[in-house]
Amino acid sequence: EFLLTQMAWREQVVDARADKDLVALQTVETDVGDAIRTVYAELGSLLDSGSENAAAVEAVRELMFLAKLREEIDNAIFDLEDI
């Protein structure tokens, strides 16, 4: 499921950047921010339980992807605002 979401977000960013659509980029940024908060909460619960190491590792991987995507979105927004 996360893989499909990743692909959809990437496609939205590419399309919004190509269309110079600042609102679409901001919408994706909001969605990614919400996902980051959710994954951090899940990771906290996993670490508190101490028994779900594989799931915690997967949550960290998701956070790494989300951070990279957020940076890409921020760069695209900066580029559009700079026009």
Side-chain angles (χ1 to χ4, degrees):
E1 182 178 331
F2 186 69
L3 179 60
L4 294 176
T5 304
Q6 284 180 32
M7 291 171 22
W9 279 332
R10 288 252 182 239
E11 185 176 325
Q12 288 173 359
V13 171
V14 168
D15 290 346
R17 189 172 224 168
D19 295 340
K20 296 180 177 17
D21 188 344
L22 185 59
V23 173
L25 285 169
Q26 291 169 333
T27 300
V28 177
E29 182 179 41
T30 299
D31 293 344
V32 171
D34 292 344
I36 288 171
R37 284 185 287 284
T38 299
V39 175
Y40 266 118
E42 291 171 3
L43 179 59
S45 296
L46 292 168
L47 292 174
D48 286 344
S49 74
S51 62
E52 298 289 332
N53 292 335
V57 168
E58 185 58 33
V60 170
R61 285 188 184 124
E62 288 181 18
L63 287 170
M64 291 170 57
F65 165 79
L66 292 168
K68 184 176 178 182
L69 180 59
R70 180 181 250 176
E71 182 178 346
E72 182 180 326
I73 294 167
D74 288 344
N75 289 337
I77 289 172
F78 179 77
D79 291 347
L80 288 180
E81 288 178 338
D82 200 37
I83 294 176

